[in-house]
């Protein structure tokens, strides 16, 4: 027992660092050591329990059973929770009985066998459990009483549950939208540092160079840099518009404004802006037979859809290629096809192309946010339209947009 004596600091140092009460007994159930937590739990002074029989800490009515339980544990020594499946109680020096939780750990030192008990006072836990049980019992009684008296209100309760579930679903949807919006803001801040850096640098460089060409004969060079600035500003403006569109879509603030306008007006504006982005030798085939059509639709959304798809066709196609723009109208459905000769979309990634922020692996080195197609698809579906595509890697892609519209010959 010297290992547990006061002069031996090893047990003291280890046991006093533990918040649980530690009680060590020998084979005769005589207490040979305790820590400060155990003394506090049971209301004893330091070393006051040493040499006492373990029964001093166990309520009288449990003494008989405890002896057989202890002997059974010693004969089958293994770590386990004492009294598993049963309520355990301890008794303080002042006679107060209180609930405990104990774990038993057998060990041997210098040929002597001991059992270490880790004891926790669970009075507070039991009081909480009792309160919960009482509350549950009261609730069950109330439900039973109400069922007996007001049987016809069961249907009302079911309807209330249904309404609560519906409200919960709406709340969860709102929380999801809020999380998505926060994600959008985070993505935006990230893109500001990446997608904005290159065009802003190009704008600064071109503005600086344009200022140096102040001679009349240098007008062509000035215009070249001014066009670069216009293109970079247009690119930044498109990014900002994309993020504003997502925010409106996510928050349900998007509104659509229908009006009548010539179809050729939108296509002319889109093609005019796209011409400034064309690479060397690239060209756009203008659609045939559209000058006489006046359609009723959201003009800005149609412009956004076509600009996004044509700009992508230019970006992901090489020099000296053709972007073919085809328009047809049948049974109140306007169909627009944008056909390019670009790098195409890898087959294994085609299922994800409309997913927000997704970018195909063969497009990662190009500037882009990965949100344009997602916005296009969302707007079209909101307006009863659709977008589909076919693509073959290194051969090109065809995007097909269909929208229901009212149209007439002008």
């Amino acid at each position: 027992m010297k290992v547990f004596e006061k002069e031996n600091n090893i047990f003291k140092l280890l046991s006093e660092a533990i918040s649980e009460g530690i009680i060590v007994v020998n084979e005769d159930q005589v207490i040979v050591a305790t820590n400060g937590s155990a003394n506090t739990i049971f209301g004893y002074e330091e070393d006051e329990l040493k040499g006492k029989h373990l029964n001093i800490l166990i309520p009288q009515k449990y003494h008989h059973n405890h002896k057989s339980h202890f002997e059974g544990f010693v004969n089958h020594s293994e770590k386990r929770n004492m009294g598993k499946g049963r309520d355990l109680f301890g008794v303080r020096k002042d006679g107060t009985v209180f609930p405990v939780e104990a774990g038993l750990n057998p060990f041997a030192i210098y040929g002597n066998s001991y059992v270490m008990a880790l004891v926790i006072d669970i009075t507070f836990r039991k009081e909480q459990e009792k309160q919960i049980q009482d509350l549950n019992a009261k609730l069950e009684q109330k439900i039973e009483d109400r069922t007996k008296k007001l049987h016809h209100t069961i249907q009302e309760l079911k309807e209330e549950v249904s309404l609560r579930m519906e409200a919960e679903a709406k709340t969860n949807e709102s929380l999801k939208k809020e999380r998505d919006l926060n994600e959008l803001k985070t993505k935006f801040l990230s893109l500001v540092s990446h997608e904005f850096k290159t065009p802003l640098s190009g704008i600064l460089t071109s503005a600086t160079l344009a200022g140096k060409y102040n001679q009349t004969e240098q007008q062509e060079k000035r215009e070249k840099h001014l066009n670069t600035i216009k293109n970079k500003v247009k690119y930044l403006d498109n990014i900002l518009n994309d993020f504003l569109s997502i925010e409106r879509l996510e928050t349900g603030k998007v509104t659509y404004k229908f009006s009548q306008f010539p179809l050729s007006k939108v296509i002319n504006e889109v093609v005019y802006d796209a011409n400034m982005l064309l690479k060397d030798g690239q060209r756009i085939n203008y659609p045939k037979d559209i000058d006489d059509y006046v359609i009723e639709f959201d003009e800005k959304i149609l412009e956004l859809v076509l600009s996004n798809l044509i700009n992508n066709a230019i970006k992901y196609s090489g020099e000296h290629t053709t972007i073919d723009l085809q328009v047809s109208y049948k049974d109140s459905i306007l169909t627009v096809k944008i056909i390019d000769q670009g790098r195409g979309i890898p087959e294994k990634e085609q299922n994800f192309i409309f997913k927000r922020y997704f970018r195909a692996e063969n497009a990662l080195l190009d500037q882009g946010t990965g949100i344009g197609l997602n916005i296009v698809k969302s707007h079209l579906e909101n307006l009863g339209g659709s977008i589909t595509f076919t693509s073959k890697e290194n051969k090109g892609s065809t995007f097909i947009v269909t929208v229901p519209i009212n149209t007439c010959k002008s």
Side-chain angles (χ1 to χ4, degrees):
M1 273 179 38
K2 290 185 177 180
V3 69
F4 301 113
E5 291 180 358
K6 191 172 182 180
E7 291 76 12
N8 191 315
N9 287 325
I10 297 177
F11 174 78
K12 184 176 181 64
L13 287 172
L14 293 175
S15 64
E16 294 303 327
I18 298 174
S19 60
E20 292 87 349
I22 295 178
I23 300 170
V24 181
V25 300
N26 60 21
E27 291 178 320
D28 297 322
Q29 299 187 53
V30 174
I31 299 172
V32 298
T34 60
N35 69 346
S37 294
N39 295 330
T40 300
I41 289 172
F42 288 95
Y44 288 89
E45 299 295 331
E46 184 179 1
D47 294 334
E48 189 176 355
L49 284 170
K50 290 178 69 173
K52 301 287 195 304
H53 194 277
L54 183 59
N55 279 346
I56 195 175
L57 303 179
I58 301 172
Q60 181 68 35
K61 65 178 181 179
Y62 298 113
H63 285 185
H64 178 72
N65 289 335
H66 182 267
K67 183 176 185 298
S68 60
H69 290 157
F70 183 86
E71 291 174 352
F73 172 76
V74 172
N75 293 332
H76 302 86
S77 295
E78 57 182 5
K79 292 182 180 180
R80 68 181 184 187
N81 290 330
M82 183 177 176
K84 187 173 183 181
R86 301 190 304 273
D87 290 331
L88 299 180
F89 296 90
V91 59
R92 297 189 180 93
K93 184 178 180 180
D94 62 6
T96 305
V97 176
F98 63 101
V100 298
E101 188 175 271
L104 303 179
N105 297 275
F107 65 98
I109 299 179
Y110 304 131
N112 296 314
S113 296
Y114 300 94
V115 175
M116 177 185 293
L118 274 70
V119 182
I120 303 173
D121 181 351
I122 59 172
T123 300
F124 181 70
R125 185 201 304 173
K126 288 295 184 180
E127 288 174 352
Q128 287 185 315
E129 291 176 356
K130 181 65 166 56
Q131 290 177 2
I132 293 172
Q133 290 172 356
D134 291 344
L135 289 173
N136 288 337
K138 290 179 181 178
L139 180 60
E140 289 175 2
Q141 186 61 46
K142 286 182 179 179
I143 293 174
E144 184 178 349
D145 293 343
R146 183 167 294 182
T147 301
K148 292 177 180 178
K149 296 177 182 179
L150 304 170
H151 183 71
H152 67 277
T153 60
I154 293 177
Q155 185 59 38
E156 294 179 3
L157 290 173
K158 288 182 178 180
E159 292 176 359
E160 183 179 349
V161 169
S162 178
L163 290 173
R164 288 185 179 181
M165 291 178 65
E166 183 179 347
E168 183 179 357
K170 289 181 179 179
T171 301
N172 290 336
E173 181 65 21
S174 297
L175 290 173
K176 181 180 182 301
K177 288 183 177 180
E178 184 177 350
R179 286 193 297 269
D180 290 344
L181 188 57
N182 288 333
E183 179 185 359
L184 170 66
K185 293 175 182 177
T186 302
K187 294 277 187 181
F188 177 75
L189 292 175
S190 176
L191 284 168
V192 165
S193 62
H194 292 87
E195 294 300 322
F196 279 34
K197 185 176 181 180
T198 299
L200 286 174
S201 177
I203 290 171
L204 178 61
T205 301
S206 294
T208 302
L209 293 175
K212 293 183 178 180
Y213 298 128
N214 51 20
Q215 302 298 321
T216 303
E217 61 272 15
Q218 295 176 317
Q219 178 63 24
E220 182 178 349
K221 293 182 178 179
R222 280 198 300 273
E223 289 182 354
K224 175 183 177 182
H225 290 296
L226 290 175
N227 285 333
T228 298
I229 292 173
K230 290 178 182 178
N231 291 339
K232 301 295 185 183
V233 169
K234 181 67 176 177
Y235 174 76
L236 294 176
D237 184 59
N238 287 339
I239 291 179
L240 290 173
N241 286 335
D242 284 347
F243 274 94
L244 288 174
S245 291
I246 286 183
E247 183 175 16
R248 294 190 188 103
L249 287 166
E250 289 295 327
T251 57
K253 295 179 180 178
V254 62
T255 56
Y256 297 105
K257 184 179 180 181
F258 286 78
S259 62
Q260 286 191 347
F261 56 90
L263 177 60
S264 58
K265 175 190 175 185
V266 171
I267 291 182
N268 287 339
E269 290 176 356
V270 170
V271 172
Y272 176 80
D273 289 339
N275 280 332
M276 293 190 295
L277 304 175
L278 291 175
K279 299 173 185 175
D280 188 26
Q282 279 186 333
R283 65 187 180 89
I284 300 174
N285 281 343
Y286 193 87
K288 300 177 182 179
D289 302 326
I290 66 168
D291 292 335
D292 295 335
Y293 285 106
V294 175
I295 67 173
E296 184 174 351
F297 196 68
D298 188 307
E299 183 176 350
K300 292 297 182 183
I301 295 302
L302 184 60
E303 182 180 348
L304 179 149
V305 170
L306 298 181
S307 294
N308 192 289
L309 296 176
I310 292 176
N311 291 349
N312 280 352
I314 294 171
K315 183 195 300 186
Y316 299 120
S317 297
E319 297 178 350
H320 305 286
T321 56
T322 299
I323 291 90
D324 196 17
L325 181 58
Q326 299 178 1
V327 177
S328 61
Y329 177 78
K330 183 179 180 181
D331 299 331
S332 298
I333 298 295
L334 178 69
T335 301
V336 182
K337 293 184 179 180
I338 296 90
I339 306 168
D340 67 51
Q341 300 170 330
R343 68 188 66 166
I345 304 166
E347 184 176 357
K348 65 181 180 179
E349 298 182 324
Q350 291 184 9
N351 289 336
F352 310 102
I353 201 66
F354 293 111
K355 185 177 177 64
R356 189 178 301 168
Y357 304 120
F358 176 81
R359 305 195 70 210
E361 62 181 13
N362 61 352
L364 294 177
L365 297 180
D366 297 281
Q367 282 189 312
T369 61
I371 60 178
L373 289 178
N374 177 266
I375 293 171
V376 166
K377 188 173 188 294
S378 297
H379 281 307
L380 287 173
E381 289 179 348
N382 287 346
L383 294 169
S386 67
I387 179 170
T388 58
F389 72 94
T390 59
S391 185
K392 191 171 183 180
E393 198 167 5
N394 300 320
K395 295 292 184 180
S397 303
T398 298
F399 279 84
I400 305 168
V401 173
T402 62
V403 289
I405 60 169
N406 294 320
T407 186
C408 61
K409 286 281 188 176
S410 62

